[in-house]
Amino acid sequence: GPRPYVVSLVPLPSPTRTDGSHARLGKSLGLAALSGLLLAGALPHLDWGWLAWIGLVPFLTLFPFRSRRAAFGHGIVLGICFLGVMAYWIILFAAHLIGPALSTLGWVLVTLYQAFYLGVWAVGAQWLRTRPSPWAFRLGVPALWAIVEWWRQSGTLALGWGDLAYTQHLALMLLQVTKLTGIWGLAFLLVLVNVALAETLKARRVGVFAGATAGLVVLTLVYGALTIRGERLRPTFVAA
């Protein structure tokens, strides 16, 4: 006879769909971690400053996230892999004073505290990504990064470790712009380039935004070169 039909009131999970969602989550978390490690490599000891120009690209390609909660979680991973790796010296230094266990605990607390700021930045970037105009994300994300860096350096628990401008300490021409904007202006430029590269990578073409960003970098270098030249031509006086 015909087989009886069994109706389930509880939807059964699809193994394929679950595996696919886990794979996507693992990939997105991996990209967030990769961005953090690239930014950490831009600072000493590796000190490969050029990584700061591309380090955020993997993370930026993840936008938009499914929710602000997801954006915050990925921002925390970014912060742990960036600021946590950068602050490894806390364990080595404090171990001689308070022992390895307490020094490791201190490193964990400092890392999570610092990573919180990048989680907030990621939530703000998620909100900007949902705005009608693409320029909100293009210009807002670099501006928000600069604001968050300033925020991290304010208050009783202020910490300036990991500011992106420090990655360019060997680029004398670029550093001249900080006379006008402070270190946050250079951080804005670095993140702006990352946003332009991420957009170009996703669109697979060079748009107006990428061209304008490249022009801004050139103008910054020209300003730096002229500033350095002017200072070298400035007369110096030697006291007798």
Side-chain angles (χ1 to χ4, degrees):
R3 295 183 179 179
Y5 291 96
V6 178
V7 179
S8 174
L9 299 179
V10 180
L12 299 177
S14 170
T16 303
R17 184 176 302 175
T18 302
D19 294 343
S21 62
H22 288 168
R24 287 192 297 270
L25 178 61
K27 179 181 178 181
S28 62
L29 291 175
L31 289 174
L34 175 61
S35 276
L37 294 175
L38 290 174
L39 293 180
L43 290 162
H45 288 291
L46 279 183
D47 208 13
W48 294 348
W50 57 271
L51 288 176
W53 297 94
I54 63 172
L56 277 173
V57 171
F59 188 86
L60 291 170
T61 59
L62 298 174
F63 287 96
F65 290 96
R66 292 181 177 270
S67 65
R68 294 181 182 179
R69 180 179 178 181
F72 180 79
H74 283 75
I76 291 293
V77 173
L78 168 69
I80 290 174
C81 293
F82 172 28
L83 301 170
V85 171
M86 178 209 61
Y88 76 94
W89 58 268
I90 293 177
I91 299 177
L92 302 179
F93 175 78
H96 300 286
L97 302 175
I98 58 177
L102 288 178
S103 63
T104 301
L105 176 61
W107 171 79
V108 170
L109 294 177
V110 169
T111 297
L112 292 177
Y113 170 68
Q114 291 285 285
F116 167 79
Y117 289 96
L118 293 191
V120 173
W121 169 78
V123 172
Q126 171 73 3
W127 181 82
L128 290 168
R129 184 63 177 80
T130 61
R131 298 305 91 195
S133 173
W135 290 98
F137 186 81
R138 291 167 175 171
L139 300 180
V141 167
L144 185 60
W145 183 282
I147 292 172
V148 168
E149 281 198 351
W150 170 83
W151 182 26
R152 287 199 306 121
Q153 298 180 27
S154 305
T156 306
L157 300 177
L159 291 173
W161 307 333
D163 287 351
L164 287 188
Y166 298 155
T167 65
Q168 306 304 303
H169 65 93
L170 297 177
L172 189 57
M173 286 194 294
L174 283 172
L175 289 176
Q176 302 310 307
V177 76
T178 61
K179 296 179 179 179
L180 301 176
T181 65
I183 60 173
W184 302 288
L186 184 51
F188 176 92
L189 182 63
L190 287 164
V191 179
L192 184 71
V193 171
N194 277 269
V195 173
L197 290 175
E199 180 177 300
T200 301
L201 184 63
K202 294 185 73 173
R204 297 185 180 181
R205 64 181 181 86
V206 179
V208 174
F209 172 54
T213 301
L216 182 60
V217 173
V218 171
L219 288 176
T220 303
L221 291 171
V222 170
Y223 169 79
L226 292 176
T227 302
I228 294 173
R229 183 175 183 273
E231 291 183 351
R232 287 177 177 173
L233 293 177
R234 187 178 303 167
T236 56
F237 300 92
V238 179

